[in-house]
Amino acid sequence: MWRGAAAALLCLAAAALLRRGFEPRARLLSAAELARYRGARGDPGLYLAVLGRVFDVERGRRHYGPGGAYSGFAGRDATRAFATGDFTQAGLVDDVSALSPGEMLAIRSWLSFYRHNYDPVGKLVGRFYDENGAPTEALRQAEAAMEEALKFQAESEQRKEQFPPCNSEWSSAKGSRFWCSKQSGGVPRAWAGVPRQLVEPGARGSRCVCVRPDGPLWEQHSAGGHGHSGDLAAPRLQEYAGCHPLAQQCVLKG
């Protein structure tokens, strides 16, 4: 009976550890050790690292082994190149500082890919993990940057729903034409909207978007709010000179 009780207690303890984020001690590799795993004859294996996390990529040998298109990633942490596509020796490095939100999302996507497709081996001691396997400030900053990038992406998707891009065309004879439809910008919707110039913070110029000219504000739209002018009064919107404010099409000569 006591054995059953002890087993139950062990199960409870294990569950508690998992809930607290317990992670079995991972193998720690130095940069010199990881460099031995390039998949060449006589090497002990074929590994690569992303954000300091080491994966066994032997099943992808044709890609990562000697002569493979991505052989430069083997035996090192070349996280930056996953985002930039710079496969030179200068680009195959682990420094991800100053990367754009889109590039940080690319790294996040690659890390997810390796987690789902290759076996984890351990951690690389260096930029992202210290000699005890604990995350460094560089890793915390990278993870925070990825979270900010996710937030930025979600906000961008929301802005695209609220202000879908216009259709546009240009010809030397007729000039520029902007128009809105229920499919413009690849955003299907129940309304077409009217063209406006949207000036976003940090942008060098404006871009054409379609704006709902009636009904409640966007924030109140899904909640069944009431209103009459849609989002026409939203900040950073400008009318096209010479075009009727409620026209679904605007033609600019020249």
Side-chain angles (χ1 to χ4, degrees):
M1 184 180 217
W2 67 269
R3 290 182 180 175
L9 286 173
L10 285 172
C11 289
L12 288 173
L17 286 171
L18 287 172
R19 284 196 298 272
R20 286 161 47 195
F22 175 78
E23 179 180 306
R25 183 173 178 83
R27 176 182 173 189
L28 300 179
L29 294 88
S30 68
E33 288 174 310
L34 181 59
R36 297 173 53 225
Y37 289 81
R38 297 187 185 277
R41 182 175 297 180
D43 285 356
L46 182 57
Y47 295 172
L48 61 72
V50 184
L51 281 181
R53 291 155 217 196
V54 183
F55 297 91
D56 184 336
V57 293
E58 179 62 42
R59 65 170 62 102
R61 170 170 286 275
R62 66 189 182 95
H63 302 297
Y64 304 106
Y70 302 106
S71 60
F73 289 94
R76 68 174 78 184
D77 187 329
T79 301
R80 188 180 185 86
F82 283 109
T84 65
D86 181 359
F87 296 168
T88 66
Q89 291 303 306
L92 290 165
V93 295
D94 60 358
D95 182 5
V96 298
S97 61
L99 291 182
S100 69
E103 289 170 328
M104 292 307 295
L105 285 179
I107 290 172
R108 184 178 184 274
S109 178
W110 276 108
L111 183 57
S112 177
F113 168 80
Y114 285 105
R115 281 172 168 167
H116 285 89
N117 292 279
Y118 293 99
D119 296 327
V121 173
K123 300 173 182 177
L124 175 64
V125 176
R127 184 181 296 272
F128 301 114
Y129 291 97
D130 65 20
E131 62 275 8
N132 297 313
T136 64
E137 181 61 25
L139 180 59
R140 285 189 283 270
Q141 290 177 1
E143 290 175 338
M146 287 190 285
E147 288 302 313
E148 282 298 311
L150 280 174
K151 181 180 177 182
F152 178 80
Q153 183 184 53
E155 292 173 350
S156 295
E157 289 299 319
Q158 181 177 335
R159 284 196 299 272
K160 188 176 180 181
E161 291 288 330
Q162 182 179 7
F163 298 124
C166 301
N167 299 304
S168 64
E169 65 179 9
W170 178 88
S171 71
S172 57
K174 298 181 180 180
S176 298
R177 181 167 78 101
F178 305 99
W179 75 101
C180 293
S181 68
K182 293 182 179 180
Q183 293 286 335
S184 64
V187 182
R189 54 195 185 275
W191 50 274
V194 297
R196 287 291 188 275
Q197 299 176 80
L198 175 63
V199 180
E200 295 184 295
R204 294 183 178 180
S206 63
R207 62 185 180 91
C208 182
V209 298
C210 295
V211 182
R212 283 188 313 108
D214 51 35
L217 292 171
W218 175 261
E219 291 80 4
Q220 304 167 354
H221 182 63
S222 60
H226 301 284
H228 302 287
S229 59
D231 293 309
L232 292 177
R236 302 190 300 276
L237 291 176
Q238 299 175 3
E239 296 181 9
Y240 281 98
C243 296
H244 190 282
L246 297 179
Q248 291 185 0
Q249 174 178 277
C250 184
V251 178
L252 304 177
K253 301 294 184 179

